Amino acid sequence: VLSVIEKVTSIETDALQETKTDLDPAAVVRAVYKLEKAVSVDFYAADNNLHVADIASYALLHVGKFSTVHHTFTSMYLQAMSSNHERLGFLISRTGENRKLVEIAQVLKKRRTPIVLLTAEKDTTLVRMSDVVLWVATEHKFNELENFVFLTGAKFLIDILFSMLMTHHYDAAVAQNKL
């Protein structure tokens, strides 16, 4: 048990450190700008990544930003079909090649909706379609933990974006959260 605890802690700590090291501050600034500029934010993710989207959506409520998370691809597709340039599509995909998310990104591009992507893979279809890409480290050495390590890094990036938004809108966020 202690060996597993140490190994998982080491893997996740390494993933956070690698995500931090690879983090492009300019991309964070661009993502925050897109989040602030958007009338609302629509999250698109699948499987375990939906949990990160739910956390991000909840965090945005604390800074007064409306957002949506749909848990079925039919709902996501319908959301994308009603999108426009005032909204933001925020995609979370470890592989950057989820076929359904690629289809949704194609719709968002046609609707002129800006796209922010959280991903672990560098040369993918979703990377090429996105306006801002935030890289998340993942652990390829342990395939069975790869998804969970990605979730750790993705949540870390959401925390950074939320913290940036809070610092930009601190007084309004504190006032809103006192109600």
Side-chain angles (χ1 to χ4, degrees), residues 11-79:
I11 290 168
E12 291 196 2
T13 301
D14 289 349
L16 289 173
Q17 189 60 47
E18 187 178 330
T19 299
K20 177 185 158 207
T21 299
D22 290 346
L23 193 56
D24 176 7
V28 173
V29 169
R30 289 192 309 274
V32 169
Y33 173 77
K34 299 265 186 213
L35 286 163
E36 288 180 325
K37 185 177 174 193
V39 171
S40 65
V41 180
D42 302 316
F43 287 93
Y44 300 95
D47 303 321
N48 285 332
N49 294 336
L50 281 165
H51 299 299
V52 176
D54 285 332
I55 291 167
S57 180
Y58 180 74
L60 289 179
L61 285 175
H62 285 283
V63 292
K65 182 64 69 175
F66 180 75
S67 63
T68 59
V69 179
H70 293 287
H71 288 247
T72 67
F73 277 113
T74 301
S75 298
M76 287 182 224
Y77 188 80
L78 291 171
Q79 183 69 54

Side-chain angles (χ1 to χ4, degrees), residues 11-12 15-16 136-139 145-154:
I11 290 168
E12 291 196 2
L16 289 173
V136 178
T138 190
E139 183 58 59
L145 293 178
E146 194 169 4
N147 284 336
F148 296 106
V149 172
F150 175 80
L151 294 175
T152 300

